[in-house]
Amino acid sequence: RRFFDINELAGLRMEQDAVFDATHGLLFGWLSQGRIDGLRLDHPDGLYDPGRYFRKLQRHISGTTADSASDKAAYLVIEKILAEHERLPDDWPVHGTTGYRFANVVSGLFVDTSAADKMERIYASFTGIRTDFEDLLYRCKRLIIRTALASELNVLAGELSRIAQMSRHTCDFTLNSLREALAEVVACFPVYRTYVTETGLSEQDRRFIEWAVAVAKRRSPAADVTVFDFVREILTTDIARGRPPEYARRVHAFAMKFQQYTAPVMAKGLEDTSFYRYNRLVSLNDVGGDPRTFGFSVGAFHGASQDRARTWPNTMLASSTHDSKRSEDVRARINVLSEIPAAWKLSVAKWARLNRSKKSELDGRPAPSASDEYLLYQTLIGAWPVDTMDAAGLEAFRERIEGYMLKAVREAKEHTSWINPNPDYERALSRFVAALLGSTGKNPFLTDFVTKQRIVARCGMLNSLSQTLVKLASPGVPDVYQGTEMLDFSLVDPDNRRPVDFERRAAALNDLNARAGRPGAGLAGVARSLLDTMADGRAKLYVTWRALSCRRDHAELFRAGDYLPLAVEGKQAEHLCAFARRRGGELAVAVAPRLFARLMEGGEGEPVGEVWAETRVEVPEAEYEYFNVLTGETLKADGDGTRAWLPLDRVLANFPVALFTASGS
C-alpha cells in the first residue's frame, strides 16, 4: 500500500520474490559482512503478510529453509503498535517491538491515577468539551475514511461486491451497502490490524473481527444489517470453507488486503487526529498510548514487566522515539499536573483571564479555541527551556512553539487542516502565541507562568531520573533516542530532529567519569552534587552512564534475569516503585520514587534522606551486601529471619534514585 495518505511515495510489494530480492541485497550484504547485527523494521502493518515476510527475512539471513518462530538468525524488532488488550503473535520470528508500549507504561507510572476525574472536570470546564474518547476516535476514523483514504475503501468495496455476486445468497447486496458496512467496521476496529493468512486466523484475530462487526452493526442506521454478517464471514474467511478454489482464493485475498487498510485508518484517525483534539492531559497522547488509560499503578507496571520478562525478554524498551509527540522529559513534566489538579485549575483560569484580550474573533467565536489554548499551556509547561532566555532565545523558542501549534491544529482538522488550510485561524493562532511569548518585560502572563512552571519542572526532572532508571533496569533492550542522554524538551517532528550537541554530552560524561575516580570525592559526592544542578542534565546522564555500565558488567543478569516486584511498606509507600532482577545467586535492585509533587508537598524540599523516614523496601536476601552503583555506598539489610528490608532514608540518603547489585558469597 501507499505510505498512509502520501501519494508521492510508492509502495513495494514485498510478497513478490523478485521485489524482495532486489530491495534486500544491500542489507543482506551488510549482515554477512558483520557491519550490522540487528534490524529495526518500521511500519510492518503495511505488509500484505507480515509473518511470512519476517520468516522469509530470517531464512535468508540464516541461509536455511527453517520456517518457525525459533529461527531468529538476526536480532529483529518491529515497529508494531499494540493495544492494551492485544498480544504480539508468538509465531513470528522476531525479538519484540520497538518499545512504544513500554514508553507509555513507564510514563504512566508517574501519573497520579486518582486524579482522572478531577482532570476531566478541569478540561471540560475550561474548554466546554465533554467528549467520550471512544466516540471521538470513531468520528475521526470516519473522517479519514471519507477523505484521505476514500479511494482504498472504494477499491475494497468493489472487490467485495464482485465476491458477493458469485453467490446467490449474497448477490442482492448493493455496492453502496457493502461500502458503508466496510467503512463502519473499519471505524469500529479495536486494533491497528489483524493477521489473517491463507491458512487461517488466530483466536485473537477472530475476537477482534467479531467485536468490530458487532459494534458496527449496533451503530449502523441501516434497516437491514445482515450485510454485516456477510462482512464478518469474509473477514474471518469462514465463508470460504467448502467453496470452489477461485472463490476461496478471492475471499482470502480480500481479507488480507482489508488488513492493510485498517492500520493506516487507525494511525491517521488516532495518532494524527484524535490525539490533537483530546487535550485532557496530553502526556497520555503518544504513539502506542491510549488517553482513556489515565496512568498506571505500580501493580499494573509490575504485571506488565513480569509478562515481558516471560514472553519477550529481548524486546526494545523506548521512552522517546522519532515518532514521539513529545519527548520523555516533556511528558515527565506534564505528568506532574496530575498531582496538582487544584493548582493547575487556578493557573489556567488565571492565564486565560490575562490572555483574553490577545485573542481574535472569527465568525463570532474567539480564536484560538479554548481547546487549542489548553493545549498551548500544557505545551509551554512541558517544553519551556531550563536556561534563562534572552530576547534571541525567547524568539527562537516562540518560533518552535508557533510551528508546533500550527502543526497541531492542522492535524486536529477542526479549524484548519493540511488539505484545507484556514489562513485566518492560523494567523490568529500565531498572533496569540506571539503575544504570550513576545517579551519577558511587562508580561504578567509570563511572570506568573515562569513561577508556576519552575515548580513543575523540578518535579519533572526527578520524574526523568526515575523513568530513566526504570527503563535501564527493566527486562528488555533499552533504547536511548538521540539527545535524551541528557534532558531534552523536544516536541513532535520536525522539532525532535534538530541537531544534537553530542560534544557537550561527551564532555559532560568525561567530566563525570573523572570526578567519580578522583580521590576523596567518590560516587556519593558526585551524586549528591548533581542533585543541586539537575537543570543542566548531568544527573540524567549520570544515571544513564552508571546504569548502562551496570548492565554491561552484569549482562546475563539483565538479559535473562527474572523480574521480582518488591514490597514497600511505610509512610511513603505509594511513592515508590521497586523491583529486583535475579539470576541464580546474583541480584540487582532498582528503587525509583514517583509522584514527587505530593511527596515533597508541592514540589519544595529535597527528595532524599528524612522525607523517606518510616518507609522501607523488602529485598530478596538478608545476608547479601547491597552495593549502590550510583553512590558507591554499601548497605546491609535489616531482617527478622523470614524477611529482609532496606530503610529508604538510607537507600535514598544522597540521591533520588538507587540501583543496587548484590550476590552471595
Side-chain angles (χ1 to χ4, degrees), residues 107-113 115 119 122 281-284 294 328-345 378 381-382 452-464 467 489 594-604:
S107 179
L109 186 60
F110 301 95
V111 173
D112 187 346
T113 57
M119 295 299 286
I122 295 169
L281 186 69
V282 295
S283 54
L284 305 178
F294 198 86
E328 60 198 70
D329 296 318
V330 171
R331 297 198 306 273
R333 285 177 169 180
I334 296 173
N335 286 340
V336 176
L337 301 179
S338 69
E339 300 181 62
I340 53 170
W344 172 242
K345 178 181 180 180
Q378 291 181 75
I381 284 284
K452 306 290 177 52
Q453 194 274 341
R454 188 178 295 117
I455 298 173
V456 173
R458 177 169 172 76
C459 294
M461 286 185 284
L462 293 166
N463 279 350
S464 291
Q467 182 172 256
F489 301 108
R594 57 193 288 268
L595 307 181
F596 286 97
R598 286 173 44 200
L599 173 70
M600 300 185 299
E601 299 180 355
E604 302 294 339

Short mmCIF file of all heavy atoms in Angstrom, two decimals, residues 107-113 115 119 122 281-284 294 328-345 378 381-382 452-464 467 489 594-604:
data_model
loop_
_atom_site.label_atom_id
_atom_site.label_comp_id
_atom_site.label_asym_id
_atom_site.label_seq_id
_atom_site.Cartn_x
_atom_site.Cartn_y
_atom_site.Cartn_z
N SER A 107 5.90 5.90 31.35
CA SER A 107 5.48 7.28 31.57
C SER A 107 4.25 7.32 32.48
O SER A 107 4.14 8.17 33.38
CB SER A 107 5.18 7.96 30.24
OG SER A 107 4.74 9.30 30.43
N GLY A 108 3.33 6.38 32.26
CA GLY A 108 2.12 6.33 33.07
C GLY A 108 2.36 6.04 34.53
O GLY A 108 1.52 6.35 35.39
N LEU A 109 3.52 5.47 34.85
CA LEU A 109 3.87 5.21 36.24
C LEU A 109 3.99 6.51 37.03
O LEU A 109 3.85 6.51 38.26
CB LEU A 109 5.20 4.44 36.28
CG LEU A 109 5.72 3.91 37.61
CD1 LEU A 109 4.74 2.94 38.25
CD2 LEU A 109 7.07 3.25 37.42
N PHE A 110 4.20 7.63 36.35
CA PHE A 110 4.39 8.92 37.00
C PHE A 110 3.17 9.82 36.87
O PHE A 110 3.26 11.03 37.06
CB PHE A 110 5.65 9.58 36.44
CG PHE A 110 6.87 8.72 36.65
CD1 PHE A 110 7.30 7.86 35.64
CD2 PHE A 110 7.52 8.71 37.86
CE1 PHE A 110 8.39 7.02 35.84
CE2 PHE A 110 8.61 7.87 38.07
CZ PHE A 110 9.04 7.03 37.06
N VAL A 111 2.03 9.21 36.55
CA VAL A 111 0.74 9.90 36.53
C VAL A 111 -0.04 9.48 37.76
O VAL A 111 -0.10 8.29 38.10
CB VAL A 111 -0.05 9.54 35.25
CG1 VAL A 111 -1.46 10.12 35.31
CG2 VAL A 111 0.68 10.06 34.02
N ASP A 112 -0.63 10.44 38.43
CA ASP A 112 -1.46 10.13 39.60
C ASP A 112 -2.81 9.62 39.12
O ASP A 112 -3.66 10.39 38.68
CB ASP A 112 -1.64 11.39 40.46
CG ASP A 112 -2.35 11.11 41.78
OD1 ASP A 112 -2.94 10.01 41.93
OD2 ASP A 112 -2.33 11.98 42.66
N THR A 113 -2.99 8.31 39.17
CA THR A 113 -4.20 7.69 38.61
C THR A 113 -5.48 8.15 39.32
O THR A 113 -6.56 8.07 38.75
CB THR A 113 -4.10 6.16 38.67
OG1 THR A 113 -3.88 5.75 40.03
CG2 THR A 113 -2.94 5.65 37.82
N ALA A 115 -6.39 11.06 39.95
CA ALA A 115 -6.81 12.40 39.54
C ALA A 115 -7.57 12.43 38.22
O ALA A 115 -7.86 13.51 37.70
CB ALA A 115 -5.58 13.31 39.43
N MET A 119 -9.09 15.90 36.60
CA MET A 119 -8.53 16.47 35.38
C MET A 119 -9.56 16.54 34.27
O MET A 119 -9.54 17.47 33.44
CB MET A 119 -7.31 15.67 34.94
CG MET A 119 -6.13 15.73 35.91
SD MET A 119 -5.48 17.41 36.15
CE MET A 119 -4.62 17.67 34.59
N ILE A 122 -11.69 19.62 35.01
CA ILE A 122 -10.97 20.86 34.71
C ILE A 122 -10.96 21.11 33.20
O ILE A 122 -11.20 22.22 32.73
CB ILE A 122 -9.53 20.79 35.26
CG1 ILE A 122 -9.55 20.72 36.79
CG2 ILE A 122 -8.71 22.00 34.80
CD1 ILE A 122 -8.21 20.38 37.40
N LEU A 281 -5.00 15.55 29.28
CA LEU A 281 -3.63 15.51 29.80
C LEU A 281 -2.80 14.96 28.65
O LEU A 281 -2.76 13.77 28.40
CB LEU A 281 -3.52 14.62 31.03
CG LEU A 281 -2.15 14.64 31.73
CD1 LEU A 281 -1.89 16.00 32.39
CD2 LEU A 281 -2.03 13.53 32.76
N VAL A 282 -2.10 15.86 27.95
CA VAL A 282 -1.55 15.49 26.65
C VAL A 282 -0.33 14.59 26.75
O VAL A 282 0.11 14.03 25.74
CB VAL A 282 -1.22 16.74 25.81
CG1 VAL A 282 -2.50 17.49 25.47
CG2 VAL A 282 -0.23 17.64 26.51
N SER A 283 0.23 14.40 27.93
CA SER A 283 1.32 13.43 28.06
C SER A 283 0.84 12.01 27.80
O SER A 283 1.65 11.12 27.53
CB SER A 283 1.93 13.52 29.46
OG SER A 283 0.94 13.39 30.47
N LEU A 284 -0.47 11.79 27.87
CA LEU A 284 -1.05 10.47 27.60
C LEU A 284 -1.27 10.24 26.11
O LEU A 284 -1.54 9.11 25.69
CB LEU A 284 -2.38 10.31 28.33
CG LEU A 284 -2.37 10.54 29.84
CD1 LEU A 284 -3.77 10.40 30.40
CD2 LEU A 284 -1.42 9.57 30.53
N PHE A 294 -5.64 6.42 32.28
CA PHE A 294 -5.07 7.56 32.98
C PHE A 294 -3.96 7.08 33.91
O PHE A 294 -4.11 6.96 35.11
CB PHE A 294 -6.15 8.30 33.77
CG PHE A 294 -5.75 9.71 34.16
CD1 PHE A 294 -5.96 10.77 33.29
CD2 PHE A 294 -5.17 9.95 35.40
CE1 PHE A 294 -5.60 12.06 33.65
CE2 PHE A 294 -4.80 11.24 35.76
CZ PHE A 294 -5.01 12.30 34.89
N GLU A 328 10.36 12.29 26.20
CA GLU A 328 10.14 11.72 27.53
C GLU A 328 10.20 12.76 28.63
O GLU A 328 9.47 12.67 29.63
CB GLU A 328 11.18 10.63 27.79
CG GLU A 328 12.61 11.11 27.77
CD GLU A 328 13.61 9.98 27.59
OE1 GLU A 328 13.66 9.39 26.49
OE2 GLU A 328 14.34 9.69 28.55
N ASP A 329 11.07 13.77 28.47
CA ASP A 329 11.21 14.79 29.51
C ASP A 329 10.06 15.78 29.48
O ASP A 329 9.67 16.32 30.53
CB ASP A 329 12.55 15.50 29.36
CG ASP A 329 13.73 14.55 29.59
OD1 ASP A 329 13.65 13.75 30.54
OD2 ASP A 329 14.70 14.60 28.82
N VAL A 330 9.51 16.06 28.32
CA VAL A 330 8.30 16.88 28.23
C VAL A 330 7.13 16.16 28.90
O VAL A 330 6.40 16.75 29.70
CB VAL A 330 7.97 17.22 26.76
CG1 VAL A 330 6.60 17.90 26.66
CG2 VAL A 330 9.05 18.11 26.16
N ARG A 331 6.97 14.88 28.60
CA ARG A 331 5.88 14.11 29.23
C ARG A 331 6.08 14.02 30.73
O ARG A 331 5.11 14.06 31.50
CB ARG A 331 5.80 12.71 28.61
CG ARG A 331 5.46 12.71 27.13
CD ARG A 331 4.97 11.36 26.66
NE ARG A 331 5.88 10.28 26.98
CZ ARG A 331 6.90 9.89 26.23
NH1 ARG A 331 7.19 10.56 25.11
NH2 ARG A 331 7.66 8.88 26.58
N ALA A 332 7.33 13.89 31.17
CA ALA A 332 7.61 13.78 32.61
C ALA A 332 7.17 15.04 33.35
O ALA A 332 6.72 14.97 34.50
CB ALA A 332 9.10 13.54 32.83
N ARG A 333 7.27 16.19 32.69
CA ARG A 333 6.79 17.43 33.30
C ARG A 333 5.27 17.48 33.32
O ARG A 333 4.65 17.79 34.34
CB ARG A 333 7.33 18.64 32.53
CG ARG A 333 8.79 18.97 32.76
CD ARG A 333 9.18 20.14 31.86
NE ARG A 333 10.48 20.72 32.18
CZ ARG A 333 11.01 21.73 31.54
NH1 ARG A 333 10.34 22.29 30.51
NH2 ARG A 333 12.19 22.22 31.89
N ILE A 334 4.67 17.22 32.17
CA ILE A 334 3.21 17.34 32.08
C ILE A 334 2.52 16.35 33.01
O ILE A 334 1.45 16.64 33.56
CB ILE A 334 2.76 17.14 30.61
CG1 ILE A 334 3.34 18.27 29.74
CG2 ILE A 334 1.25 17.11 30.49
CD1 ILE A 334 3.11 18.10 28.26
N ASN A 335 3.13 15.18 33.23
CA ASN A 335 2.56 14.21 34.17
C ASN A 335 2.38 14.80 35.56
O ASN A 335 1.47 14.41 36.30
CB ASN A 335 3.46 12.98 34.26
CG ASN A 335 3.37 12.08 33.05
OD1 ASN A 335 2.40 12.14 32.29
ND2 ASN A 335 4.37 11.25 32.84
N VAL A 336 3.24 15.75 35.94
CA VAL A 336 3.17 16.36 37.27
C VAL A 336 1.83 17.06 37.49
O VAL A 336 1.33 17.12 38.62
CB VAL A 336 4.34 17.35 37.47
CG1 VAL A 336 4.24 18.05 38.82
CG2 VAL A 336 5.68 16.62 37.35
N LEU A 337 1.22 17.55 36.43
CA LEU A 337 -0.06 18.25 36.56
C LEU A 337 -1.12 17.36 37.19
O LEU A 337 -2.03 17.85 37.87
CB LEU A 337 -0.53 18.76 35.20
CG LEU A 337 0.42 19.72 34.48
CD1 LEU A 337 -0.17 20.12 33.13
CD2 LEU A 337 0.74 20.94 35.33
N SER A 338 -1.02 16.05 36.98
CA SER A 338 -1.99 15.13 37.57
C SER A 338 -1.90 15.10 39.08
O SER A 338 -2.86 14.71 39.76
CB SER A 338 -1.79 13.72 37.01
OG SER A 338 -0.57 13.15 37.47
N GLU A 339 -0.76 15.52 39.63
CA GLU A 339 -0.58 15.54 41.08
C GLU A 339 -1.09 16.83 41.71
O GLU A 339 -1.32 16.88 42.93
CB GLU A 339 0.90 15.39 41.43
CG GLU A 339 1.56 14.12 40.95
CD GLU A 339 3.01 14.08 41.37
OE1 GLU A 339 3.26 14.09 42.59
OE2 GLU A 339 3.89 14.07 40.48
N ILE A 340 -1.27 17.87 40.91
CA ILE A 340 -1.64 19.19 41.44
C ILE A 340 -2.86 19.74 40.71
O ILE A 340 -2.84 20.88 40.21
CB ILE A 340 -0.46 20.16 41.35
CG1 ILE A 340 0.10 20.22 39.91
CG2 ILE A 340 0.65 19.76 42.32
CD1 ILE A 340 1.12 21.34 39.69
N PRO A 341 -3.94 18.98 40.60
CA PRO A 341 -5.08 19.44 39.80
C PRO A 341 -5.67 20.76 40.29
O PRO A 341 -6.08 21.60 39.47
CB PRO A 341 -6.08 18.29 39.91
CG PRO A 341 -5.67 17.53 41.13
CD PRO A 341 -4.19 17.66 41.21
N ALA A 342 -5.72 20.98 41.60
CA ALA A 342 -6.31 22.22 42.10
C ALA A 342 -5.47 23.42 41.69
O ALA A 342 -6.00 24.45 41.23
CB ALA A 342 -6.44 22.14 43.63
N ALA A 343 -4.15 23.32 41.85
CA ALA A 343 -3.27 24.41 41.45
C ALA A 343 -3.31 24.63 39.95
O ALA A 343 -3.28 25.78 39.47
CB ALA A 343 -1.84 24.11 41.92
N TRP A 344 -3.39 23.54 39.20
CA TRP A 344 -3.47 23.65 37.74
C TRP A 344 -4.75 24.36 37.32
O TRP A 344 -4.73 25.23 36.43
CB TRP A 344 -3.37 22.26 37.13
CG TRP A 344 -3.62 22.18 35.65
CD1 TRP A 344 -4.63 21.50 35.03
CD2 TRP A 344 -2.84 22.77 34.60
NE1 TRP A 344 -4.53 21.65 33.66
CE2 TRP A 344 -3.44 22.41 33.37
CE3 TRP A 344 -1.71 23.57 34.59
CZ2 TRP A 344 -2.93 22.83 32.15
CZ3 TRP A 344 -1.20 23.99 33.35
CH2 TRP A 344 -1.80 23.62 32.15
N LYS A 345 -5.84 24.03 37.95
CA LYS A 345 -7.11 24.66 37.61
C LYS A 345 -7.05 26.17 37.84
O LYS A 345 -7.49 26.97 36.99
CB LYS A 345 -8.23 24.06 38.47
CG LYS A 345 -9.60 24.67 38.24
CD LYS A 345 -10.65 24.04 39.13
CE LYS A 345 -12.01 24.67 38.89
NZ LYS A 345 -13.06 24.05 39.77
N GLN A 378 -0.25 23.51 28.28
CA GLN A 378 0.45 22.27 28.62
C GLN A 378 1.76 22.15 27.84
O GLN A 378 2.77 21.68 28.37
CB GLN A 378 -0.44 21.06 28.33
CG GLN A 378 -1.63 20.94 29.26
CD GLN A 378 -2.46 19.71 28.94
OE1 GLN A 378 -2.08 18.59 29.27
NE2 GLN A 378 -3.60 19.91 28.31
N ILE A 381 4.31 24.35 29.50
CA ILE A 381 4.75 23.71 30.75
C ILE A 381 5.81 22.65 30.45
O ILE A 381 6.83 22.54 31.14
CB ILE A 381 3.55 23.08 31.48
CG1 ILE A 381 2.70 24.14 32.18
CG2 ILE A 381 4.01 22.01 32.48
CD1 ILE A 381 3.30 24.69 33.45
N GLY A 382 5.57 21.88 29.39
CA GLY A 382 6.46 20.77 29.09
C GLY A 382 7.73 21.14 28.39
O GLY A 382 8.78 20.53 28.61
N LYS A 452 5.19 29.34 38.26
CA LYS A 452 4.48 28.07 38.38
C LYS A 452 5.22 26.95 37.66
O LYS A 452 5.31 25.82 38.15
CB LYS A 452 3.07 28.21 37.81
CG LYS A 452 2.23 29.35 38.39
CD LYS A 452 1.83 29.09 39.81
CE LYS A 452 1.07 30.26 40.42
NZ LYS A 452 -0.07 30.74 39.63
N GLN A 453 5.77 27.27 36.49
CA GLN A 453 6.43 26.24 35.70
C GLN A 453 7.69 25.73 36.38
O GLN A 453 8.04 24.55 36.26
CB GLN A 453 6.78 26.80 34.31
CG GLN A 453 7.16 25.76 33.27
CD GLN A 453 8.62 25.38 33.29
OE1 GLN A 453 9.45 26.11 33.84
NE2 GLN A 453 8.96 24.23 32.70
N ARG A 454 8.37 26.59 37.13
CA ARG A 454 9.62 26.21 37.77
C ARG A 454 9.40 25.05 38.75
O ARG A 454 10.22 24.13 38.85
CB ARG A 454 10.23 27.41 38.48
CG ARG A 454 11.64 27.15 39.03
CD ARG A 454 12.21 28.39 39.67
NE ARG A 454 12.41 29.45 38.70
CZ ARG A 454 11.79 30.63 38.73
NH1 ARG A 454 10.91 30.88 39.69
NH2 ARG A 454 12.04 31.54 37.82
N ILE A 455 8.30 25.09 39.47
CA ILE A 455 8.00 24.02 40.43
C ILE A 455 7.70 22.72 39.69
O ILE A 455 8.20 21.65 40.06
CB ILE A 455 6.80 24.43 41.32
CG1 ILE A 455 7.16 25.67 42.13
CG2 ILE A 455 6.39 23.28 42.22
CD1 ILE A 455 6.00 26.25 42.91
N VAL A 456 6.89 22.80 38.64
CA VAL A 456 6.58 21.62 37.84
C VAL A 456 7.85 21.05 37.21
O VAL A 456 8.06 19.83 37.19
CB VAL A 456 5.54 21.96 36.75
CG1 VAL A 456 5.35 20.77 35.81
CG2 VAL A 456 4.22 22.35 37.38
N ALA A 457 8.72 21.93 36.72
CA ALA A 457 9.93 21.50 36.05
C ALA A 457 10.83 20.71 36.99
O ALA A 457 11.46 19.71 36.58
CB ALA A 457 10.69 22.69 35.48
N ARG A 458 10.94 21.14 38.24
CA ARG A 458 11.79 20.41 39.19
C ARG A 458 11.26 18.99 39.41
O ARG A 458 12.02 18.02 39.38
CB ARG A 458 11.87 21.16 40.51
CG ARG A 458 12.69 20.40 41.56
CD ARG A 458 12.98 21.26 42.77
NE ARG A 458 13.60 20.49 43.84
CZ ARG A 458 14.88 20.10 43.85
NH1 ARG A 458 15.66 20.40 42.84
NH2 ARG A 458 15.35 19.41 44.88
N CYS A 459 9.97 18.87 39.62
CA CYS A 459 9.38 17.53 39.79
C CYS A 459 9.52 16.72 38.51
O CYS A 459 9.73 15.50 38.56
CB CYS A 459 7.91 17.65 40.19
SG CYS A 459 7.64 18.39 41.81
N GLY A 460 9.41 17.38 37.37
CA GLY A 460 9.58 16.68 36.10
C GLY A 460 10.98 16.13 35.93
O GLY A 460 11.16 15.02 35.41
N MET A 461 12.00 16.88 36.38
CA MET A 461 13.36 16.37 36.28
C MET A 461 13.56 15.15 37.17
O MET A 461 14.26 14.20 36.80
CB MET A 461 14.35 17.48 36.66
CG MET A 461 14.51 18.54 35.58
SD MET A 461 15.79 19.77 35.94
CE MET A 461 14.95 20.79 37.16
N LEU A 462 12.93 15.15 38.34
CA LEU A 462 13.01 13.98 39.22
C LEU A 462 12.29 12.79 38.58
O LEU A 462 12.77 11.65 38.65
CB LEU A 462 12.40 14.32 40.58
CG LEU A 462 13.20 15.35 41.39
CD1 LEU A 462 12.36 15.87 42.56
CD2 LEU A 462 14.50 14.75 41.90
N ASN A 463 11.14 13.06 37.97
CA ASN A 463 10.46 12.00 37.21
C ASN A 463 11.38 11.41 36.16
O ASN A 463 11.42 10.20 35.93
CB ASN A 463 9.22 12.56 36.51
CG ASN A 463 8.02 12.67 37.43
OD1 ASN A 463 8.03 12.16 38.54
ND2 ASN A 463 6.97 13.34 36.96
N SER A 464 12.14 12.28 35.48
CA SER A 464 13.04 11.82 34.41
C SER A 464 14.11 10.88 34.95
O SER A 464 14.47 9.89 34.30
CB SER A 464 13.69 13.01 33.72
OG SER A 464 12.74 13.74 32.98
N GLN A 467 12.35 7.57 35.73
CA GLN A 467 11.96 6.93 34.48
C GLN A 467 13.15 6.34 33.76
O GLN A 467 13.10 5.22 33.22
CB GLN A 467 11.26 7.95 33.58
CG GLN A 467 10.76 7.42 32.26
CD GLN A 467 9.93 8.44 31.52
OE1 GLN A 467 8.71 8.36 31.46
NE2 GLN A 467 10.59 9.42 30.93
N PHE A 489 13.82 18.59 25.68
CA PHE A 489 12.44 19.07 25.73
C PHE A 489 11.90 19.32 24.33
O PHE A 489 11.32 20.36 24.03
CB PHE A 489 12.36 20.32 26.60
CG PHE A 489 12.84 20.09 28.00
CD1 PHE A 489 14.04 20.61 28.44
CD2 PHE A 489 12.10 19.31 28.88
CE1 PHE A 489 14.51 20.37 29.72
CE2 PHE A 489 12.55 19.06 30.17
CZ PHE A 489 13.76 19.58 30.59
N ARG A 594 8.29 8.15 42.83
CA ARG A 594 7.30 8.69 41.91
C ARG A 594 6.39 9.67 42.65
O ARG A 594 6.41 9.74 43.87
CB ARG A 594 6.46 7.55 41.29
CG ARG A 594 5.75 6.70 42.34
CD ARG A 594 5.19 5.41 41.78
NE ARG A 594 4.03 5.61 40.95
CZ ARG A 594 2.77 5.58 41.40
NH1 ARG A 594 2.51 5.34 42.69
NH2 ARG A 594 1.77 5.76 40.58
N LEU A 595 5.60 10.42 41.88
CA LEU A 595 4.66 11.39 42.43
C LEU A 595 5.36 12.35 43.38
O LEU A 595 5.00 12.51 44.55
CB LEU A 595 3.50 10.66 43.13
CG LEU A 595 2.76 9.60 42.29
CD1 LEU A 595 1.63 8.98 43.10
CD2 LEU A 595 2.26 10.16 40.98
N PHE A 596 6.39 13.02 42.88
CA PHE A 596 7.26 13.87 43.69
C PHE A 596 6.54 15.11 44.22
O PHE A 596 6.87 15.60 45.31
CB PHE A 596 8.48 14.29 42.89
CG PHE A 596 9.48 13.19 42.69
CD1 PHE A 596 9.50 12.45 41.52
CD2 PHE A 596 10.42 12.91 43.67
CE1 PHE A 596 10.43 11.44 41.32
CE2 PHE A 596 11.35 11.90 43.49
CZ PHE A 596 11.36 11.16 42.31
N ALA A 597 5.62 15.68 43.47
CA ALA A 597 4.94 16.90 43.91
C ALA A 597 4.20 16.65 45.22
O ALA A 597 4.24 17.47 46.14
CB ALA A 597 4.00 17.41 42.83
N ARG A 598 3.53 15.53 45.31
CA ARG A 598 2.83 15.18 46.55
C ARG A 598 3.81 14.76 47.63
O ARG A 598 3.63 15.07 48.81
CB ARG A 598 1.82 14.08 46.28
CG ARG A 598 0.59 14.56 45.53
CD ARG A 598 -0.32 13.40 45.13
NE ARG A 598 -0.48 12.45 46.23
CZ ARG A 598 -0.89 11.19 46.07
NH1 ARG A 598 -1.12 10.74 44.85
NH2 ARG A 598 -1.02 10.40 47.10
N LEU A 599 4.86 14.07 47.24
CA LEU A 599 5.86 13.62 48.21
C LEU A 599 6.50 14.80 48.92
O LEU A 599 6.71 14.78 50.14
CB LEU A 599 6.94 12.80 47.49
CG LEU A 599 8.16 12.38 48.33
CD1 LEU A 599 7.76 11.32 49.35
CD2 LEU A 599 9.28 11.87 47.43
N MET A 600 6.80 15.84 48.15
CA MET A 600 7.52 16.99 48.70
C MET A 600 6.57 18.17 48.96
O MET A 600 6.99 19.32 48.98
CB MET A 600 8.64 17.41 47.75
CG MET A 600 9.66 16.32 47.50
SD MET A 600 11.05 16.87 46.50
CE MET A 600 10.25 17.34 44.97
N GLU A 601 5.28 17.89 49.10
CA GLU A 601 4.28 18.90 49.46
C GLU A 601 4.34 20.12 48.55
O GLU A 601 4.62 21.23 48.96
CB GLU A 601 4.45 19.31 50.93
CG GLU A 601 4.25 18.16 51.89
CD GLU A 601 4.40 18.59 53.34
OE1 GLU A 601 4.76 19.77 53.55
OE2 GLU A 601 4.17 17.77 54.23
N GLY A 602 4.09 19.84 47.28
CA GLY A 602 4.04 20.92 46.30
C GLY A 602 5.31 21.13 45.52
O GLY A 602 5.43 22.07 44.77
N GLY A 603 6.28 20.23 45.70
CA GLY A 603 7.50 20.31 44.91
C GLY A 603 8.66 20.96 45.61
O GLY A 603 9.76 21.03 45.06
N GLU A 604 8.47 21.45 46.85
CA GLU A 604 9.55 22.07 47.58
C GLU A 604 10.31 21.01 48.38
O GLU A 604 9.78 19.96 48.72
CB GLU A 604 9.01 23.14 48.53
CG GLU A 604 8.23 24.24 47.82
CD GLU A 604 9.08 25.08 46.90
OE1 GLU A 604 10.31 25.10 47.08
OE2 GLU A 604 8.51 25.72 45.99
#
